[in-house]
Amino acid sequence: MDNDMNPREELYRRFKESLTHPVLDRFFDEDELVDIYDYAGDMDDDYVQLEVLLCGARLYPESEVLAERKALLYLDTTDDTTDERTKAAANFLADNPEASSIIFDIARLEVAPPENGGEALDFLFKQYSRFGDEEVIRLVQLALDLDCYSWLIAHLEELKKKVDYLPTLYYEIAREADDINDNENLVNLADALIEIEPFAPQYWMMLLRGQARLGNKEAATQTFDYAIALSGDDPEAVLALTEICFNYADYLLPQMVDVLKRLKDNNPDEFRYTDCYCAVNSKLQRSEDVLTALRDFGTRHPENPVVVHHLLNYAVEDAVDYMERYFAVCGAEGLAGLAPDDIISELAGRGNKREAIAYIEKLAQLSPQEYASRLNILIEFYYHCQLFEKVVELKKNNKDAFEQFFEDPINASVVSYIYAYSLVKLKRHAEAVEFAHRRRSTFESFMKSTYTAARMVVRCVLTFFDKLDLHGADDELYWDYFDMLRNGKF
C-alpha cells in the first residue's frame, strides 16, 4: 500500500506547489486530478480538494469522474453547528438526475437511506463488476451508515472478486472491526493484510490489538516482536504501539521502556514523548524514572503545565518550586493550564495538603477574582483538611461573597455547617452559637419554601444548631466525637 501511495503523494505535493503560480500555468491530466483529490481526502485537506475541482472545472468541464468527486465533496460537507450532512449533496444529485455511476448510486443511497439497507446493497453490488479504491472505501462507508456491517462480513468473499486492490477492502472493514471490538474478524483481516504487505507496521498493530483483546497472550507477544521491529525509531509507530500495549497488553510494556527512552532523549523538547515514557513507567510502578523525566523536562520547559500537574500529584518535595517557576513564566494566564477547580479537587482527593495550599495561595495572589469565585470549593477543602482556622479566615475576608451563598439552600447549608463546626473545633463555641442563632430563621424559611432534597440538607444544619445549644463548650468529650459528617474521632 505504501508503494502505491508514493506517486500520489508526489502528485499531491506538485499540485500544492502549483497553487503558488498563476492559474493558467497549472496543468494536470484528468486521472492525475482524481488521484490528487483522493489523496487530499486521505490527508483531510479540504483546501486542496476544492482547488482540484476548480482546476478540473477549467480544464475538463464535462469530466464524469470529477463530477463524481464533486458529489463526494458535497456528501462530506457537514454543518459546523449540528455536525450533520448539509443539503448540498441532495441538491447536486437532484440537479444531475441522469448522472450514473457507482459513486453517484452510493451518494443517492447516502442522502436517501432505504428502509432495507441489505437489499439496497445487494442490488448495488450486482449492478457493477469492478470497484476501484475510492469506490470500495465509499461502499464500505455506505454499508456502515446503513448499519450493515454484517453484510460486509457475509459478502467478503464476493467483494474480494470485484475489487481492484484487496488491501483497501480489508483495511476499511478491519478499521470498523477494530472500532466495534469484533476481534475475531479483525485478526482474520489483519492476517490477510499482512500476507499481502508483510512490512506495514500498522497491519501488525491491528493484529496485535485483536489478539490482545482476545486474550491470546502467546500470539500477541509474537506479533509484538514483528511490530516493534518494523516500527524502528518512527515516532508515530512507536507511540501507536505503546498505546496498544498500555491499553490491552501491559505485559509487553517492559519491552517498550528502552525504545521510549531513546525516543524521549532524541526529542528532548517534545513533551508527548516524555509524557508517554512517564505513563508507561507509572503503570510499571517505576516512580523514580517518572520523576526524573518530569523534572528534566520541567527544568528545560518551566512553562509546561502538565509537568507541574504531575509533580503536584506526586507530592514530591520540590513540586511547589516547579509550580512557582511555572507561574513566574506564565503569570495569571497559567491558570488556564492549571485550572483551579481541577487542581484543588484533585489535590484534596489525594490528600496533598501542602501542594493544595500552595496552589490556593498562588491563586489568591494571581487572580483574586478567580479565588473569590471558588470560595465554596476552598471552604470544603479546608474543612476536609481540618484547617479550621483557614475556614474562619476565609469567611472573615470575604463577607460579601459569603452572604451570596444564602441565596441557595444547599450552598447555605454547606458553608454554614462547615463554618460553625470550624468555630467549635477552634474552641470558639460562643461564636458558633451566636452564628447559629442569627442564621436559624433563614434555614427555617428554607424548610417552608424549598424542594424535598434541599429540605433534608437544611434539616441537618438545623439539627446541628440544636446540638450547639444542647452541648456547651465544656462538653469537650461530646465535641471530640461529634460525627455527623464522619469528621470526629470515630
Side-chain angles (χ1 to χ4, degrees), residues 308-359:
V308 177
H309 194 162
H310 286 326
L311 290 173
L312 290 172
N313 281 339
Y314 270 99
V316 290
E317 257 183 49
D318 52 356
V320 174
D321 295 336
Y322 279 89
M323 184 190 74
E324 292 287 354
R325 286 197 287 272
Y326 169 78
F327 283 118
V329 173
C330 301
E333 292 181 1
L335 292 171
L338 292 176
D341 293 347
D342 296 337
I343 297 294
I344 294 170
S345 59
E346 194 170 333
L347 293 177
R350 290 173 173 269
N352 296 2
K353 186 187 302 186
R354 180 177 67 95
E355 289 73 25
I357 292 171
Y359 177 85

Side-chain angles (χ1 to χ4, degrees), residues 259-292:
V259 180
L260 289 169
K261 186 177 186 306
R262 185 165 62 249
L263 186 61
K264 170 184 72 72
D265 292 344
N266 289 340
N267 300 273
D269 297 317
E270 292 191 52
F271 182 65
R272 62 179 183 147
Y273 304 126
T274 295
D275 199 26
C276 185
Y277 173 81
C278 290
V280 168
N281 277 291
S282 178
K283 195 159 189 174
L284 295 173
Q285 299 184 339
R286 299 175 178 178
S287 299
E288 287 305 314
D289 291 330
V290 173
L291 294 173
T292 298

Side-chain angles (χ1 to χ4, degrees), residues 18-35:
S18 77
L19 296 177
T20 64
H21 301 297
V23 172
L24 294 178
D25 290 350
R26 300 173 202 162
F27 182 83
F28 295 83
D29 69 36
E30 194 175 7
D31 290 338
E32 287 177 332
L33 288 176
V34 170
D35 282 341

